[in-house]
Amino acid sequence: MTKKFYTYLLVLLAIVFASTFSGHELVRYNPLKLEPLVKEFTLHFVPNEKETVNTSMLHVEKSFIDFRNALGKKESNNNYKSVSKYGYLGKYQFSKYTLKNYGVENIDKFLASAALQEKVFKAYVAENKWYLRNEIKRYIGKKINGTIITESGIIAAAHLAGPENVKDYLQNNGNIRFQDNFGTSIKHFIKYFGGYDISVIEADQNPSIDYYFE
C-alpha cells in the first residue's frame, strides 16, 4: 500500500512538473524578439526659399531626377506648357536663343513635347558642366557667402544666371551681385539646389539633344 502510494505520488508530481514547465508555458519567459519600429527609408524633399532642412537627422538621397524636378518646380511648377511674361518657355523656362543653339526653332512643338524639353535640359546641363569644369573642381566643398558649394548648386545657378555670371561669382568669392527678373540670386540657387548627385550627365562642349533620352 505504501509503495503504491509513493509511486502514485511520484507520477502525480511528474505530471504537474511537466505541465508547469512545458514548452508552451516557457514562451512567456523567453526574451522578446522585437522587430524595429522604424526602418531605413529615403526622403526626397526640396525646400523653397523660406524652408530649411536639418539633414543631420535624415538620410536624404537626391538624384538627377530629383534635381531636374526640383528645378522645374521652381521655374514653372513643372509645367511643360508654361510661357512666362518675359517669354521664357517650358518646364525649365528656356529662352528662344538657348533653344535655337540646340536646333529647336518650332516653339509650339517644343511646348508640346516633354521628351524634347528633357533632352534640351540634359544638353544644357552637359554644356554648363564643361564650361564650368574648372570652377567645379576648384570650388566644390568651399564656402562662399555662408553656402557650401556643390556641383549641382553651380549648375542650377548657371541655369538661372548663365555660366559666365556664375564663373564671375565664384572667382570673385561671391562679391558679384546678380538677380533675375524675379529677384532670385545666384546665392539662393547655389544653396537650395546643392547636394544633388548629377554625375549621370557628363560634361560636353558640344552636346546634341539627339544623344539624350527623356
Side-chain angles (χ1 to χ4, degrees), residues 23-112:
H24 177 73
E25 293 294 330
L26 284 174
V27 171
R28 296 188 213 169
Y29 306 102
N30 286 343
L32 294 177
K33 297 180 180 179
L34 300 178
E35 292 295 328
L37 296 179
V38 180
K39 296 184 178 180
E40 184 178 356
F41 63 94
T42 299
L43 176 67
H44 300 281
F45 176 76
V46 180
N48 60 36
E49 295 188 23
K50 297 182 180 179
E51 294 174 329
T52 59
V53 178
N54 183 2
T55 55
S56 64
M57 298 298 293
L58 299 172
H59 169 65
V60 181
E61 178 186 350
K62 298 190 290 186
S63 68
F64 177 73
I65 293 176
D66 296 320
F67 173 73
R68 72 185 194 183
N69 287 336
L71 192 56
K73 176 74 173 178
K74 174 66 176 176
E75 293 290 343
S76 70
N77 201 28
N78 284 320
N79 180 3
Y80 287 104
K81 299 184 183 299
S82 176
V83 179
S84 78
K85 63 181 180 180
Y86 298 105
Y88 293 102
L89 305 163
K91 175 181 176 179
Y92 302 104
Q93 294 292 278
F94 285 112
S95 68
K96 291 181 180 180
Y97 174 80
T98 299
L99 296 180
K100 191 172 183 179
N101 286 340
Y102 297 109
V104 178
E105 297 189 6
N106 188 324
I107 300 305
D108 291 334
K109 180 179 178 181
F110 176 78
L111 292 174

Side-chain angles (χ1 to χ4, degrees), residues 5-211:
F5 174 78
Y6 283 114
T7 300
Y8 176 79
L9 181 60
L10 288 173
V11 172
L12 181 62
L13 289 174
I15 293 173
V16 172
F17 182 86
S19 64
T20 302
F21 294 97
S22 66
H24 177 73
E25 293 294 330
L26 284 174
V27 171
R28 296 188 213 169
Y29 306 102
N30 286 343
L32 294 177
K33 297 180 180 179
L34 300 178
E35 292 295 328
L37 296 179
V38 180
K39 296 184 178 180
E40 184 178 356
F41 63 94
T42 299
L43 176 67
H44 300 281
F45 176 76
V46 180
N48 60 36
E49 295 188 23
K50 297 182 180 179
E51 294 174 329
T52 59
V53 178
N54 183 2
T55 55
S56 64
M57 298 298 293
L58 299 172
H59 169 65
V60 181
E61 178 186 350
K62 298 190 290 186
S63 68
F64 177 73
I65 293 176
D66 296 320
F67 173 73
R68 72 185 194 183
N69 287 336
L71 192 56
K73 176 74 173 178
K74 174 66 176 176
E75 293 290 343
S76 70
N77 201 28
N78 284 320
N79 180 3
Y80 287 104
K81 299 184 183 299
S82 176
V83 179
S84 78
K85 63 181 180 180
Y86 298 105
Y88 293 102
L89 305 163
K91 175 181 176 179
Y92 302 104
Q93 294 292 278
F94 285 112
S95 68
K96 291 181 180 180
Y97 174 80
T98 299
L99 296 180
K100 191 172 183 179
N101 286 340
Y102 297 109
V104 178
E105 297 189 6
N106 188 324
I107 300 305
D108 291 334
K109 180 179 178 181
F110 176 78
L111 292 174
S113 175
L116 179 57
Q117 293 188 38
E118 296 297 345
K119 289 179 179 181
V120 171
F121 178 69
K122 290 176 182 179
Y124 192 57
V125 169
E127 188 171 4
N128 283 336
K129 273 193 172 189
W130 183 86
Y131 186 88
L132 293 165
R133 63 195 184 283
N134 294 327
E135 284 67 35
I136 289 171
K137 291 179 182 178
R138 179 179 177 184
Y139 293 101
I140 281 181
K142 295 184 178 181
K143 185 178 286 188
I144 295 178
N145 284 335
T147 298
I148 297 296
I149 305 301
T150 65
E151 182 182 48
S152 61
I154 289 175
I155 297 304
H159 186 89
L160 170 76
E164 298 87 354
N165 286 321
V166 174
K167 179 180 286 191
D168 288 344
Y169 178 88
L170 294 172
Q171 291 180 351
N172 288 279
N173 199 35
N175 292 320
I176 301 298
R177 296 187 179 276
F178 174 91
Q179 290 185 333
D180 70 356
N181 294 324
F182 299 99
T184 306
S185 66
I186 289 176
K187 176 185 175 181
H188 174 73
F189 263 48
I190 288 177
K191 179 178 180 180
Y192 284 107
F193 293 101
Y196 290 85
D197 180 2
I198 60 173
S199 58
V200 67
I201 304 297
E202 297 181 359
D204 191 338
Q205 183 177 6
N206 296 298
S208 169
I209 61 175
D210 294 331
Y211 172 78

